[in-house]
């Protein structure tokens, strides 16, 4: 049986992540165990001619279409995770390896804000580590992603008419899941890429909602290959011409895009990650679910994303942040602008915010999908940061 943390321990939990070599065998088992304790909730955020609500705890099938009215969230509770040690003892021990398991009540709740085109299926491994450390997890599928409502009929495209919906959606979904599952620990947030930008906006708009925030490779400015002013000018022209829902980079089909990603990995050209095993696992999961075939940003999304970035990174908005923040930057990020993150960190310093920045030289965009030493350092920095933010007396 695995070693356990004891209730009331003042020792910061330590994470032992899967190595790249362990991912092919153990990650599918982790996914299976996590599916057995996943709670599916639906937060209604818009009206529709169809007045029917999807009931909470409705588990969507691979054939289900996105909701017309609601956002989909997946919640994992520490108490359910601990029960796995008895209910599925053999499988659990195979999956957990040498990782210690927290045995007391949860000490934090982590709301996950996924990146562009990502969904809840991206994060079972991430949530597994948080649960083992005593942290409940809520994964929100943003508008236009996964089983959440869409604003375009093309399931391969991500489109939004007003970026402010991302902010209010996320806050409502977190609160709905938190209350639905009678969670009591301090609520924290983690956001990656686009999700990091959304999390930044939520922390600014709702300064009392979270106790601590981590922004991982946040999209404070996307890298488009051309000056931002040119990109935004084009996006506005397309929107004004009634072409907001057209793919901004041309229409890409899912199967051919996945095949190209596999080829890039084989040739060592994957720009987003250095964990080929994790990327392959997620691609295989996505293939069977049409709602996860999102690939293409529309011109409307580009316009709204740049509007969001400009506002949330302004000095006026950043000054609204009242909680401890950890900014995690990948040195070789090909998708979002690293200098833009450094500018935000500098503004936060000038404002006197409780804002820490951590730089990973050589790492790529998805820090949690990087090489073994970085994944281990990354996960333990997260847990340590949340622990110190929620245990201020012990941190002194």
């Amino acid at each position: 049986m695995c070693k356990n943390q004891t209730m009331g321990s003042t020792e910061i939990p330590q994470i032992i992540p899967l190595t790249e070599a362990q991912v092919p065998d153990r990650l599918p088992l982790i996914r299976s165990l996590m599916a057995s304790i996943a709670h599916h909730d639906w937060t209604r955020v818009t009206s529709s001619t169809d007045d029917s609500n999807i009931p909470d705890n409705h588990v969507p099938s691979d054939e289900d279409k996105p909701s017309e009215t609601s956002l989909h969230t997946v919640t994992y509770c520490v108490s359910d995770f601990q029960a796995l040690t008895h209910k599925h003892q053999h499988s659990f021990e195979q999956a957990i390896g040498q990782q210690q398991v927290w045995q007391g009540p949860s000490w934090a709740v982590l709301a996950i804000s996924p990146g562009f085109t990502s969904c809840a299926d991206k994060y079972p491994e991430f949530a597994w580590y948080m649960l083992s450390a005593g942290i409940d997890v809520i994964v929100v599928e943003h508008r236009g992603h996964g089983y959440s409502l869409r604003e375009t009929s093309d399931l391969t495209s991500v489109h939004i008419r007003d970026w402010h919906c991302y902010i209010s959606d996320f806050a409502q979904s977190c609160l709905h899941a938190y209350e639905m599952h009678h969670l009591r620990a301090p609520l924290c947030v983690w956001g990656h890429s686009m999700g990091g930008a959304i999390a930044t906006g939520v922390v600014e708009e709702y300064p009392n909602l979270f106790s601590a925030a981590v922004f991982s490779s946040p999209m404070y400015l996307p890298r488009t290959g051309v000056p931002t002013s040119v990109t935004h000018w084009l996006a506005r022209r397309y929107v004004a011409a009634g072409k907001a829902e057209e793919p901004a980079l041309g229409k890409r089909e899912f199967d051919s895009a996945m095949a190209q990603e596999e080829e890039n990995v084989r040739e060592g050209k994957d720009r987003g990650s250095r964990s080929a095993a994790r990327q392959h696992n997620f691609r295989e999961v996505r293939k069977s679910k049409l709602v996860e075939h999102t690939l293409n940003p529309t011109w409307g999304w580009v316009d709204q994303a740049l509007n969001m970035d400009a506002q949330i990174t302004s000095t006026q908005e950043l000054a609204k942040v009242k909680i401890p923040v950890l900014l995690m930057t990948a040195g070789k990020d090909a998708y979002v602008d690293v200098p833009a993150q450094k500018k935000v960190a500098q503004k936060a310093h000038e404002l006197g915010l409780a804002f820490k920045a951590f730089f990973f030289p050589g790492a790529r965009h998805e820090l949690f999908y990087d090489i073994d030493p970085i994944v281990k350092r990354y996960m333990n920095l997260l847990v340590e940061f949340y622990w110190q933010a929620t245990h201020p007396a012990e941190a002194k």
Side-chain angles (χ1 to χ4, degrees):
M1 189 62 183
C2 53
K3 297 179 181 179
N4 296 323
Q5 291 276 359
T6 58
M7 184 184 301
S9 172
T10 58
E11 182 181 356
I12 300 173
Q14 297 295 304
I15 303 299
I16 304 175
L18 299 181
T19 64
E20 182 76 357
Q22 292 170 337
V23 168
D25 291 332
R26 285 173 56 186
L27 184 51
L29 182 54
I30 286 173
R31 285 189 177 277
S32 175
L33 289 169
M34 292 294 280
S36 72
I37 61 170
H39 299 277
H40 297 264
D41 304 311
W42 304 84
T43 308
R44 185 161 186 152
V45 294
T46 187
S47 59
S48 170
T49 53
D50 179 7
D51 291 330
S52 63
N53 274 323
I54 303 174
D56 285 323
N57 297 319
H58 166 70
V59 181
S61 69
D62 292 357
E63 293 76 28
D64 276 0
K65 296 179 180 179
S67 170
E68 294 183 4
T69 62
S70 303
L71 298 178
H72 176 233
T73 61
V74 179
T75 300
Y76 304 101
C77 299
V78 166
S79 57
D80 295 330
F81 183 76
Q82 292 167 345
L84 285 176
T85 64
H86 306 291
K87 187 175 182 181
H88 301 285
Q89 182 174 336
H90 179 67
S91 297
F92 186 84
E93 290 183 357
Q94 282 185 300
I96 201 71
Q98 297 302 308
Q99 175 65 55
Q100 294 183 337
V101 179
W102 182 265
Q103 288 299 303
S106 62
W107 52 268
V109 181
L110 185 60
I112 289 180
S113 177
F116 180 74
T117 74
S118 286
C119 53
D121 274 332
K122 181 88 169 183
Y123 296 101
E125 181 191 358
F126 191 111
W128 176 270
Y129 300 143
M130 297 301 105
L131 291 168
S132 70
I135 303 173
D136 300 310
V137 176
I138 301 167
V139 188
V140 178
E141 292 190 331
H142 295 300
R143 187 178 297 234
H145 295 74
Y147 292 99
S148 292
L149 68 93
R150 305 296 176 95
E151 294 187 354
T152 182
S153 59
D154 182 0
L155 293 184
T156 69
S157 292
V158 178
H159 179 67
I160 194 164
R161 301 183 187 95
D162 184 353
W163 68 267
H164 293 88
C165 290
Y166 280 145
I167 308 302
S168 58
D169 286 350
F170 191 78
Q172 289 183 63
S173 296
C174 289
L175 287 172
H176 178 74
Y178 191 91
E179 295 170 356
M180 171 64 61
H181 300 289
H182 308 288
L183 304 178
R184 294 291 180 265
L187 182 60
C188 302
V189 64
W190 176 92
H192 166 69
S193 195
M194 179 193 79
I198 293 170
T200 303
V202 176
V203 167
E204 293 168 347
E205 185 69 21
Y206 302 92
N208 299 315
L209 182 57
F210 299 106
S211 296
V214 173
F215 306 140
S216 182
S217 304
M219 186 194 70
Y220 293 148
L221 192 65
R223 292 187 63 182
T224 61
V226 297
T228 303
S229 58
V230 175
T231 303
H232 211 170
W233 178 82
L234 279 172
R236 287 168 173 164
R237 289 290 298 270
Y238 273 89
V239 171
K243 299 179 179 180
E245 295 185 37
E246 288 190 6
L249 303 176
K251 173 79 170 180
R252 294 188 300 159
E253 297 299 338
F254 181 80
D255 290 342
S256 59
M258 292 299 100
Q260 183 62 57
E261 284 191 15
E262 293 282 6
E263 183 177 345
N264 289 345
V265 169
R266 288 193 297 270
E267 296 178 357
K269 297 179 181 179
D270 191 331
R271 299 190 305 156
S273 163
R274 289 192 286 182
S275 177
R278 289 181 173 89
Q279 292 286 51
H280 177 75
N281 179 276
F282 183 47
R283 276 192 291 272
E284 291 303 303
V285 170
R286 293 180 70 190
K287 286 178 182 178
S288 65
K289 301 182 180 183
L290 287 177
V291 299
E292 296 184 13
H293 288 193
T294 45
L295 295 165
N296 306 304
T298 65
W299 285 112
W301 181 89
V302 172
D303 177 43
Q304 290 301 309
L306 291 174
N307 287 340
M308 175 172 64
D309 289 346
Q311 179 161 328
I312 65 172
T313 60
S314 69
T315 300
Q316 180 180 355
E317 293 301 308
L318 286 170
K320 297 177 181 179
V321 177
K322 306 300 181 186
I323 60 175
V325 171
L326 178 60
L327 171 64
M328 311 281 258
T329 297
K332 297 292 184 180
D333 203 315
Y335 292 103
V336 299
D337 190 64
V338 170
Q341 294 175 30
K342 292 181 178 179
K343 288 180 181 178
V344 167
Q346 181 61 33
K347 287 181 181 180
H349 175 72
E350 293 169 356
L351 289 166
L353 305 181
F355 199 101
K356 297 180 181 179
F358 199 94
F359 188 78
F360 290 87
R364 299 184 188 175
H365 185 56
E366 294 184 329
L367 288 161
F368 51 97
Y369 269 18
D370 213 274
I371 58 176
D372 294 345
I374 288 181
V375 174
K376 183 176 182 180
R377 179 68 172 140
Y378 181 85
M379 289 298 171
N380 282 288
L381 278 171
L382 292 184
V383 173
E384 179 181 356
F385 174 74
Y386 290 127
W387 178 275
Q388 291 175 346
T390 56
H391 296 72
E394 295 177 12
K396 291 181 179 179

